[in-house]
Amino acid sequence: MIRACTVDELPPGESVRIPGSPAIAVFHTEDGELYAIDDTCTHQDASLADGWLEGCFVECPLHAAMFDLRTGVPTCLPAKEPVRTYSVVVDDGVVYVEGVAREDAA
Amino acid sequence: MRRIAVVGASLAGVRAAQELRAQGYDGGIVLIGSEAHLPYDRPPLSKGFLAGTASAASLELLDAGDLASLALDFRLGVSATALEPSDRRVRLSDGSSVHADGVVIATGGRARTLPGFEGAFVLRTLDDAVALRAALVPGVRVAIVGAGFIGAEVASTCRSLGLDVVVLEALAAPLAPVLGASLAAVCARLHRDHGTDLRCGVQVTGLSPAGVELADGSLVPADVVVTGVGMTPATDWLAGSGVPVGNGVHTDAGLVTPLPQVVAVGDVARYGGRRHEHWTNASEQAPVAVANLLAGRTARTYEPSGYVWSDQYGGRLQLAGHPRPDDTLSFVEGDPDSSSFVATFQRDGETVGVFALNNAKLFTRLRRQTLRRPAAV
């Protein structure tokens, strides 16, 4: 488990980037859901934590590829490969990401 | 329509082919490309590919799955030589021709060359990049004519390879007619901060074996000379077709030519009197042009986002909207001397553009919240 931040540090509509290899982006949607995916767009080097969050999708800040946070699958070009998704848990006001990619990532 | 010819196999042509399938067209698609390569993405040519960190395979726009699902009839390594609308035919340079009920013109353009610079390197195609990369061996001195995005990116890549670089720019500051004086100064600073010798207000006259000759009679010594001075739209083949051309293929606001079965996309499309030579433009135009082609009339119009980016010296420049150099520039975060900042262009009290250096997050937010969004596609 990787500690991401406190719940207070990640209000709805915000995202946070956890540096590392791979870097991971954690999103708090306006609906209150928490998602974590690989931070680097699979098309070209850009941080998805810097992207535009809309519903449960994030748009890459460089070329506007859009990824479904639930599955990691891009829904439009130019990205074609999915990003990995990770489980997020909240414990005692702290947001954690499971450090290993889910095997069932699409 | 039973068969559509897409003339031009770069991003705009590929996106058009994809949109044809996405919008339910199940007839034949002939994709005609003058290069022998399968369609590839150009932005890395001046950056990762030129630096040797990105492979040619990584540039491919279509993978095996795409190729299978799109079912394209490729004609690669041949260029279109004529469009004969009355016969619904596109003639090709190998003597063959394609019968098509609809045509998407996506021929882009050729790198513009300067008189006296025959033999200098240019950078538009994969083959251009392969040739230039082979010339960038340790110790060569590089001179680049033109400090636009391509010139700046090539300069940046050459510096990352440890080469001495001189950039020669005719304007008083790089990109000043687009960005205005203050941001042009930032672009100039990026060059200086990274050891590139940027010389502005310089008139070049020609190439000599020793380097680049200037109008004042001096010589800029160089082993490798690259010209990055824009492109010329590839419209020669449309002569006599009835499709109006002149600095591009003239279309209406929906990218439709006066012939309803002929549309244009990408760098070559001149809509409402303007063209945009950008990756995003090529990608965003395809859905609109294809919808109109399939409808047989201008059912939708194109609203450009004006989004452009450039990676230089490890930094990322992003611009959206349609600013003019005389708009009022306001720094939302940071200032022109910072390594990261975001600025907006204001005109008549309205935000008409956003520019960022190394701040994608705030840039994206401002772009989406303050600029009018392109029409829903």
Side-chain angles (χ1 to χ4, degrees):
Chain A
M1 300 249 281
I2 304 168
R3 183 187 188 280
C5 57
T6 67
V7 171
D8 293 343
E9 287 166 339
L10 192 63
E14 287 296 331
S15 54
V16 64
R17 178 178 186 272
I18 309 172
S21 186
I24 294 170
V26 187
F27 298 87
H28 192 175
T29 69
E30 296 287 354
D31 294 338
E33 299 291 329
L34 288 163
Y35 296 101
I37 61 175
D38 278 339
D39 182 55
T40 306
C41 179
T42 54
H43 169 242
Q44 253 174 40
D45 188 14
S47 167
L48 293 175
D50 287 344
W52 179 256
L53 185 60
E54 197 151 3
C56 56
F57 297 89
V58 64
E59 184 191 86
C60 172
L62 191 53
H63 298 148
M66 197 171 269
F67 292 89
D68 187 330
L69 297 176
R70 298 164 297 188
T71 61
V73 174
T75 60
C76 69
L77 289 169
K80 289 181 288 190
E81 298 295 318
V83 289
R84 287 175 295 187
T85 61
Y86 303 85
S87 295
V88 182
V89 292
V90 175
D91 183 34
D92 199 19
V94 176
V95 179
Y96 296 93
V97 175
E98 283 193 353
V100 180
R102 283 177 185 167
E103 292 302 320
D104 62 353
Chain B
M1 288 199 225
R2 294 173 56 191
R3 193 191 234 187
I4 291 173
V6 178
V7 188
S10 190
L11 178 68
V14 165
R15 289 286 294 116
Q18 289 169 322
E19 279 299 323
L20 283 167
R21 294 300 184 218
Q23 295 186 27
Y25 172 75
D26 61 3
I29 300 176
V30 182
L31 189 58
I32 300 160
S34 59
E35 297 176 60
H37 310 288
L38 277 169
Y40 59 87
D41 209 15
R42 292 187 202 281
L45 294 181
S46 57
K47 302 181 274 273
F49 183 78
L50 192 60
T53 54
S55 66
S58 71
L59 309 185
E60 286 182 357
L61 285 168
L62 301 170
D63 61 24
D66 299 323
L67 293 172
S69 64
L70 291 170
L72 305 175
D73 175 2
F74 279 101
R75 307 289 168 90
L76 298 177
V78 292
S79 45
T81 54
L83 174 65
E84 296 172 358
S86 58
D87 198 23
R88 297 186 175 252
R89 196 162 288 280
V90 177
R91 297 212 170 269
L92 303 180
S93 57
D94 64 356
S96 67
S97 68
V98 172
H99 187 271
D101 307 303
V103 174
V104 179
I105 299 172
T107 40
R110 286 176 287 273
R112 194 164 78 87
T113 50
L114 293 173
F117 281 84
E118 294 77 14
F121 289 94
V122 293
L123 184 51
R124 183 162 180 92
T125 66
L126 181 60
D127 292 343
D128 292 340
V130 168
L132 177 56
R133 189 167 75 172
L136 298 176
V137 296
V140 296
R141 297 161 304 172
V142 181
I144 298 164
V145 180
F149 282 159
I150 290 287
E153 290 177 0
V154 171
S156 160
T157 300
C158 288
R159 289 296 300 146
S160 75
L161 295 171
L163 304 174
D164 284 342
V165 182
V166 180
V167 175
L168 304 167
E169 169 60 55
L171 297 167
L175 295 161
V178 180
L179 298 176
S182 147
L183 294 178
V186 170
C187 294
R189 170 170 64 82
L190 290 176
H191 287 292
R192 283 198 307 274
D193 287 353
H194 294 86
T196 293
D197 181 0
L198 172 68
R199 303 185 198 171
C200 292
V202 171
Q203 295 295 327
V204 299
T205 55
L207 201 59
S208 88
V212 179
E213 293 163 346
L214 305 185
D216 65 6
S218 62
L219 177 87
V220 176
D223 307 300
V224 174
V225 178
V226 186
T227 52
V229 292
M231 57 146 257
T232 305
T235 57
D236 299 355
W237 65 285
L238 293 166
S241 67
V243 173
V245 297
N247 189 17
V249 173
H250 295 206
T251 73
D252 67 9
L255 303 161
V256 182
T257 73
L259 307 176
Q261 76 278 20
V262 179
V263 299
V265 289
D267 291 4
V268 80
R270 184 174 180 85
Y271 59 102
R274 57 192 172 164
R275 284 192 303 111
H276 286 112
E277 300 169 12
H278 307 144
W279 188 96
T280 304
N281 182 65
S283 184
E284 289 178 344
Q285 284 186 333
V288 177
V290 162
N292 292 337
L293 180 67
L294 294 176
R297 64 186 178 87
T298 302
R300 284 168 54 179
T301 57
Y302 175 60
E303 293 272 354
S305 69
Y307 175 63
V308 203
W309 82 95
S310 178
D311 290 345
Q312 303 172 21
Y313 303 110
R316 179 161 290 158
L317 287 66
Q318 291 175 288
L319 172 69
H322 302 280
R324 294 196 303 238
D326 57 342
D327 291 332
T328 305
L329 194 67
S330 314
F331 283 81
V332 180
E333 194 169 288
D335 61 61
D337 297 325
S338 320
S339 56
S340 158
F341 65 79
V342 181
T344 57
F345 293 86
Q346 320 284 330
R347 190 187 312 156
D348 303 328
E350 210 178 314
T351 299
V352 293
V354 182
F355 181 93
L357 174 65
N358 296 328
N359 195 333
K361 188 165 193 168
L362 184 56
F363 171 85
T364 302
R365 190 157 293 195
L366 288 172
R367 173 189 174 190
R368 297 298 292 260
Q369 290 176 340
T370 67
L371 286 184
R372 193 161 58 98
R373 291 183 62 176
V377 290

